[in-house]
Amino acid sequence: MSESISTRLAWVAVDWGSSNLRAWAMDAGGAVLAEAEAARGMLGLAPADYEPALLAVIGDWLPAEGRITVLVCGMAGARQGWREAPYRPVPTALDALAEGAVSPAVEDARLDVRLLPGLCQGADAGGFDVMRGEETQLAGLAALESGVSGLVCLPGTHAKWATLDSGRVERFHTYMTGELYRLLAERSVLAHSLSEDDLEDSACREAFSAAVAEAAAAPEAFTRTLFGLRAMDLLDDALPDGEARGAVLAARLSGLAIGLELAGACGELAAGQSVRLIGVEALCRRYALALSALGHSSEIIANRRAVLAGLGLAHAALAHDALDHD
């Protein structure tokens, strides 16, 4: 199997996050020959660890001779990563990310590693902000939909909302909603009242949607409604008992947190305007339900598809640049 991959391998795509490394062996036509992952994220690596960690995942794919381009997005290019790939300021064209790629020093002569940059935003462009990794997913959307414009959300621990115009990122904002939910659910007084929610359950779904609408309509009341969750647990006889009670309250907390986010992120959206969602399907479905509660439709693009398309766009740009210099 490895020998077959090495003979057809054209380049390697890598998404290197804080916790995990994902890699795909790509052929010349952009098809995936193989994929692998490891729990070797930036948070657990020193600069000298990156090349061995990479080879442990992709080494069997590499040919005995020749150099293979390994195109990497994500936290490997952070200041604390393998080598810093400086941020590109917005506005910026998504098909120009490869122009900011940097190459770390490697010992294995078969590796030609390129680390893609993230994006940054100053106070004059909409407020200080940064992203690293999500820009490649946005580039994937630009590759899949030429000249894409509109509002794009990338849900996560720190959700990113980007405004695109004809394939350019004009501005973006980060919302710490996922982290805020976890802190409230695990470290606040609310921890005594919550269990895991399930939006397939009608009671959880209704509680979530109602909370989204409530928080979006009155974001200034957010901290008041938070403590109301604890009071509901103690006083509301209409809630179910046991784990189901905690699940409904958890769904309400999630709805309040995401509704607060949408109050800020969707302020400029016209009624009924659609939002593209890129990321893990379950979380994107949660955001799609939240948007629906506010009257907005959405389209979900899978994280894997977006990452591969974005890295493919960058690889094509590097290949084109190499031809121009020959």
Side-chain angles (χ1 to χ4, degrees), residues 2-310:
S2 299
E3 182 178 353
S4 175
I5 293 171
S6 66
T7 59
R8 298 170 56 196
L9 183 68
W11 63 287
V12 177
V14 176
D15 180 7
W16 211 321
S18 296
S19 303
N20 296 289
L21 155 66
R22 295 185 299 163
W24 297 270
M26 311 296 295
D27 72 9
V32 175
L33 301 173
E35 58 185 283
E37 62 181 290
R40 299 301 308 275
M42 180 271 290
L43 294 177
L45 299 174
D49 298 328
Y50 278 85
E51 184 175 351
L54 179 64
L55 286 171
V57 173
I58 73 167
D60 289 344
W61 301 342
L62 300 176
E65 297 180 351
R67 296 184 78 200
I68 294 294
T69 297
V70 181
L71 199 52
V72 182
C73 69
M75 298 305 293
R79 185 171 300 173
Q80 299 82 13
W82 195 346
R83 178 187 170 187
E84 184 177 11
Y87 294 109
R88 291 178 63 87
V90 296
T92 192
L94 287 164
D95 60 3
L97 293 178
E99 295 175 9
V102 302
S103 297
V106 295
E107 295 182 4
D108 194 312
R110 299 172 298 171
L111 296 176
D112 175 20
V113 179
R114 312 290 183 92
L115 308 177
L116 290 178
L119 300 181
C120 66
Q121 178 174 274
D124 56 344
F128 290 107
D129 214 328
V130 294
M131 69 166 66
R132 193 176 289 279
E134 295 91 352
E135 74 295 320
T136 303
Q137 297 174 55
L138 292 172
L141 176 60
L144 295 167
E145 186 178 335
S146 179
V148 61
S149 297
L151 192 60
V152 183
C153 173
L154 302 100
T157 302
H158 299 156
K160 306 289 183 180
W161 288 77
T163 299
L164 307 187
D165 185 5
S166 300
R168 293 171 58 86
V169 180
E170 294 297 322
R171 61 187 177 277
F172 65 94
H173 300 290
T174 302
Y175 292 81
M176 294 176 60
T177 305
E179 185 168 359
L180 176 63
Y181 175 86
R182 186 169 63 247
L183 289 170
L184 289 169
E186 296 176 1
R187 297 196 174 189
S188 78
V189 67
L190 300 180
H192 303 294
S193 299
L194 306 180
S195 58
E196 291 292 323
D197 71 4
D198 178 6
L199 295 189
E200 296 299 319
D201 176 76
S202 60
C204 286
R205 193 178 182 90
E206 290 170 9
F208 174 83
S209 294
V212 168
E214 184 179 336
E220 71 280 1
F222 180 71
T223 55
R224 186 188 72 207
T225 54
L226 285 181
F227 191 77
L229 286 166
R230 179 60 177 161
M232 287 176 69
D233 183 27
L234 297 172
L235 303 173
D236 193 345
D237 294 334
L239 290 174
D241 295 325
E243 287 293 310
R245 188 183 192 88
V248 169
L249 291 171
R252 177 166 170 78
L253 175 59
S254 176
L256 290 174
I258 294 177
L260 181 67
E261 176 183 329
L262 297 187
C266 298
E268 299 177 6
L269 274 181
Q273 188 173 344
S274 183
V275 175
R276 294 175 181 84
L277 299 167
I278 303 176
V280 176
E281 184 178 357
L283 189 53
C284 283
R285 287 202 309 268
R286 185 175 293 259
Y287 270 69
L289 179 60
L291 286 163
S292 178
L294 300 183
H296 300 293
S297 61
S298 58
E299 174 190 357
I300 296 175
I301 298 94
N303 179 64
R304 180 183 186 275
R305 184 184 182 208
V307 168
L308 286 175

